[in-house]
Amino acid sequence: MDTLADLGVSDDDVVVMTVPGALEIPGVLSKLAQSMQFDALIAIGAVIRGETYHFEVVSNESAVEMAELYAVIDQLDPDADASDEAAND
């Protein structure tokens, strides 16, 4: 939050959400992105390594879903085509 403030982002412009676990992050980000109400989405998650294989499954699945979500979010950007066309002119 301090870094955002240093960059000029007002606390009133920040929405903090929590989820039960790392696997839920992509789903929440997807809904937030589809709302088109945010200029940026920042996700922070932690997966604690235990004695089971669970850590690898959660880490890998979260990473894959986040990568797939990035592609979807990129397609949701209504200005993407306009800026791409302007860059090609």
Side-chain angles (χ1 to χ4, degrees):
M1 295 294 291
D2 291 340
T3 301
L4 291 173
D6 291 345
L7 294 170
V9 178
S10 168
D11 284 347
D12 294 335
D13 292 331
V14 176
V15 175
V16 176
M17 303 187 82
T18 60
V19 295
L23 289 175
E24 286 79 20
I25 293 173
V28 171
L29 287 178
S30 176
K31 289 182 181 184
L32 294 172
Q34 290 174 16
S35 76
M36 303 298 287
Q37 295 179 7
F38 301 93
D39 294 325
L41 299 172
I42 301 170
I44 301 173
V47 182
I48 299 171
R49 185 183 298 271
E51 296 181 18
T52 67
Y53 186 67
H54 185 253
F55 170 85
E56 284 81 8
V57 172
V58 172
S59 298
N60 290 339
E61 285 302 311
S62 295
V64 166
E65 288 184 36
M66 293 292 286
E68 291 172 355
L69 179 60
Y70 176 76
V72 171
I73 289 172
D74 194 44
Q75 293 174 357
L76 290 175
D77 183 359
D79 298 325
D81 292 334
S83 62
D84 288 345
E85 289 173 11
N88 292 329
D89 288 342

